[in-house]
C-alpha cells in the first residue's frame, strides 16, 4: 500500500509486524532501509517484530542481527514448561535479549521504541514504552496456547498480534509523521501444516490478517514481501527469508524515495 512519497524532513516511524520465523524477513527489510539511508525516528514492534525492533532501537546493524538469527535454534527461543496456561516458556528469548543488548530499559534506547502486547483478561491493547525491554518482548512474543503468558502490573500479557499486528497506529500515537509498516502475512504459505505448532501459528495469522488491513489504513506505506514460499516455523529458512525481505523491500521502498 502506497499513499505518499517519503519526505526526509518528516519524523519517520517503522512498524515491524508479527509472523513467527517469517520475522527473519524484517532483517532484510532493515538492510534495505540502512542502504537507502532512511532515518528512522520511531520504532514499534509486535510479536517477532518486537524482537527485531528492540535490536534496532539499541543500535544493532542489520548484519549483526543477521548473525544472531542465523545461529538460532528452537532451544534458543523456547523450552518445555507445561502449565495450565501454555506448553512452552519463552524465557530463552529473554536470555537472548540480555546476551545481545543487555538488561536494558526503554529510556536507554537510541530510537524511541514501543512494543505491543495484549491483556488477555480484558482484550485490550497494551503499548509498552517503559520498564525492562526484555519483559515487553517476552510478552509480545507469547503466542496464546503455546507460550506461558507474562504477568506484570496485575496484567496477563500475550502476543500483541491479537490487537495490532502491524503497529502503525501506535507509531502515530508516538509522534511519527510518516508511517511505514512491514506486513509479513499478506501473502500466505498455503501448504498443509505438518505439526501442531504450524497449525496454531497459521490459525493465529489468519485470524488477524483482516484486522491488519483495517489497522494500517492510515499508514503511508506498507512493505509486503511475498513470503508464500515459506512457512512460519522452520528456522532453516532464515537465510532465504532475510534475502527475500531485502530484495523485495528495496524494490518497494524505491517507489517512495
Amino acid at each position: 500500500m502506497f499513499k505518499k512519497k517519503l519526505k526526509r524532513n518528516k519524523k519517520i516511524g517503522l512498524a515491524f509486524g508479527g509472523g513467527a520465523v517469517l520475522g527473519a524477513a524484517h532483517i532484510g527489510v532493515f538492510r534495505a532501509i540502512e542502504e537507502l539511508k532512511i532515518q528512522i525516528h520511531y520504532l514499534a514492534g509486535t510479536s517477532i517484530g518486537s524482537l527485531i525492533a528492540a535490536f534496532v532501537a539499541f543500535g544493532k546493524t542489520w548484519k549483526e542481527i543477521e548473525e544472531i538469527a542465523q545461529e538460532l535454534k528452537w532451544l534458543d527461543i523456547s523450552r518445555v514448561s507445561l502449565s495450565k496456561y501454555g506448553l512452552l516458556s519463552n524465557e530463552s528469548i529473554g536470555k537472548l535479549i540480555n546476551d545481545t543488548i543487555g538488561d536494558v530499559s526503554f529510556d536507554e534506547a537510541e530510537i524511541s521504541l514501543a512494543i505491543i502486547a495484549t491483556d488477555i483478561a480484558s482484550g485490550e491493547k497494551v503499548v509498552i514504552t517503559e520498564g525492562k525491554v526484555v519483559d515487553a518482548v517476552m510478552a509480545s512474543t507469547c503466542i496464546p496456547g503455546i507460550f506461558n503468558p507474562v504477568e506484570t502490573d496485575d496484567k496477563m500479557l500475550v502476543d500483541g498480534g491479537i490487537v495490532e499486528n502491524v503497529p502503525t497506529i501506535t507509531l502515530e500515537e508516538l509522534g511519527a509523521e510518516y508511517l511505514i509498516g512491514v506486513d509479513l502475512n499478506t501473502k500466505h504459505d498455503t501448504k498443509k501444516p505438518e505439526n501442531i505448532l504450524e497449525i496454531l501459528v497459521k490459525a493465529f495469522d489468519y485470524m488477524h490478517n483482516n484486522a491488519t488491513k483495517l489497522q494500517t489504513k492510515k499508514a503511508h506505506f506498507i512493505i509486503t514481501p511475498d513470503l508464500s514460499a515459506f512457512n512460519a516455523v522452520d528456522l532453516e529458512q532464515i537465510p532465504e527469508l532475510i534475502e527475500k525481505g531485502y530484495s523485495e523491500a528495496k524494490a518497494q521502498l524505491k517507489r517512495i524515495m
Side-chain angles (χ1 to χ4, degrees):
M1 182 173 65
F2 169 47
K3 294 181 180 178
K4 189 182 292 186
K5 290 283 187 181
L6 177 64
K7 294 182 179 179
R8 292 184 182 270
N9 62 334
K10 297 285 188 182
K11 292 182 178 179
I12 301 169
L14 177 63
F16 289 117
V21 172
L22 298 180
H26 286 315
I27 303 168
V29 172
F30 183 50
R31 176 186 174 186
I33 286 171
E34 280 196 337
E35 289 185 0
L36 293 169
K37 294 180 168 46
I38 299 172
Q39 184 180 359
I40 302 300
H41 302 85
Y42 298 95
L43 285 162
T46 295
S47 198
I48 189 62
S50 72
L51 179 62
I52 305 301
F55 288 159
V56 174
F58 282 85
K60 293 299 176 184
T61 66
W62 78 266
K63 191 64 179 174
E64 289 173 315
I65 304 171
E66 178 189 52
E67 290 170 1
I68 296 164
Q70 290 186 340
E71 295 298 321
L72 279 181
K73 302 291 185 289
W74 269 110
L75 288 176
D76 299 321
I77 299 173
S78 63
R79 63 179 178 82
V80 176
S81 179
L82 296 177
S83 79
K84 63 181 179 180
Y85 296 124
L87 303 174
L88 304 171
S89 165
N90 65 354
E91 289 179 359
S92 298
I93 289 180
K95 183 178 184 304
L96 176 64
I97 294 167
N98 284 334
D99 289 347
T100 304
I101 59 176
D103 186 22
V104 292
S105 298
F106 280 82
D107 58 8
E108 299 174 67
E110 296 179 15
I111 303 173
S112 295
L113 173 66
I115 288 174
I116 312 305
T118 303
D119 182 345
I120 198 62
S122 67
E124 294 178 347
K125 180 171 80 170
V126 178
V127 179
I128 308 172
T129 58
E130 57 185 25
K132 294 293 186 182
V133 172
V134 61
D135 295 334
V137 174
M138 285 177 61
S140 187
T141 55
C142 177
I143 301 173
I146 297 180
F147 293 121
N148 295 325
V150 173
E151 297 191 52
T152 179
D153 295 332
D154 299 322
K155 291 183 172 66
M156 183 179 283
L157 301 180
V158 298
D159 198 302
I162 296 172
V163 287
E164 192 182 16
N165 193 50
V166 183
T168 54
I169 294 172
T170 297
L171 287 176
E172 186 176 46
E173 293 168 349
L174 289 176
E177 299 168 309
Y178 191 95
L179 313 177
I180 301 174
V182 187
D183 186 355
L184 304 178
N185 297 299
T186 301
K187 297 168 184 175
H188 286 274
D189 157 33
T190 57
K191 295 176 184 176
K192 186 183 295 184
E194 296 182 358
N195 54 58
I196 186 173
L197 185 59
E198 284 193 25
I199 288 174
L200 288 169
V201 170
K202 270 182 171 288
F204 193 62
D205 287 342
Y206 286 133
M207 177 187 71
H208 57 55
N209 196 38
N210 288 331
T212 297
K213 293 175 184 176
L214 294 174
Q215 292 162 357
T216 57
K217 272 188 172 182
K218 295 179 74 174
H220 299 100
F221 190 64
I222 300 293
I223 299 169
T224 55
D226 182 356
L227 305 180
S228 56
F230 304 91
N231 67 64
V233 299
D234 185 359
L235 292 172
E236 297 297 320
Q237 307 167 112
I238 284 177
E240 290 79 13
L241 280 163
I242 294 171
E243 182 58 34
K244 186 70 169 176
Y246 167 68
S247 60
E248 295 222 4
K250 193 160 188 180
Q252 292 177 30
L253 283 165
K254 285 180 176 179
R255 296 169 54 198
I256 64 172
M257 299 301 292

